[in-house]
Amino acid sequence: MSNFEFQKVNSRVIRSGDNYLAKVDSAESFSSIFVDEETTYGVSVRDAQMQTGDSTYTPAMAFTYSMEDGSVRFIDVVVCPLLGTFVSDWY
């Protein structure tokens, strides 16, 4: 991968290292990820750059949510004005 934190794979998928994120098209599919209203989530946010071509990029915001349920798990959400919103699986 390049110096960019995220790389566009196709119009529906981006990646960061070995972590792939899928495009989210609706609030319903996004909210289904956070299934337990009783759970407290931690969140961190940072500015990111997403590679869209050989040497081109677009700005994005990267959110990492954490949840503790016996172990600590994380999920990444990337919001890019140009490409959309993407989400990883819990890891």
Side-chain angles (χ1 to χ4, degrees):
M1 204 156 117
S2 66
N3 294 331
F4 298 103
E5 185 175 1
F6 297 95
Q7 180 180 37
K8 179 182 171 184
V9 175
N10 59 44
S11 64
R12 309 269 326 144
V13 177
I14 63 172
R15 73 181 184 121
S16 177
D18 292 334
N19 193 16
Y20 287 83
L21 295 86
K23 190 168 189 172
V24 177
D25 291 327
S26 71
E28 181 179 324
S29 61
F30 186 72
S31 65
S32 69
I33 295 165
F34 300 98
V35 294
D36 187 358
E37 295 176 5
E38 303 287 321
T39 301
T40 301
Y41 297 94
V43 64
S44 65
V45 64
R46 64 195 179 281
D47 290 326
Q49 293 182 344
M50 187 180 312
Q51 183 178 12
T52 55
D54 287 337
S55 58
T56 59
Y57 72 93
T58 186
M61 293 179 294
F63 298 80
T64 300
Y65 292 88
S66 61
M67 174 182 70
E68 190 170 344
D69 62 351
S71 63
V72 179
R73 299 189 303 155
F74 301 93
I75 193 167
D76 295 322
V77 176
V78 176
V79 178
C80 178
L82 181 64
L83 300 175
T85 301
F86 299 83
V87 65
S88 72
D89 287 331
W90 286 100
Y91 59 93

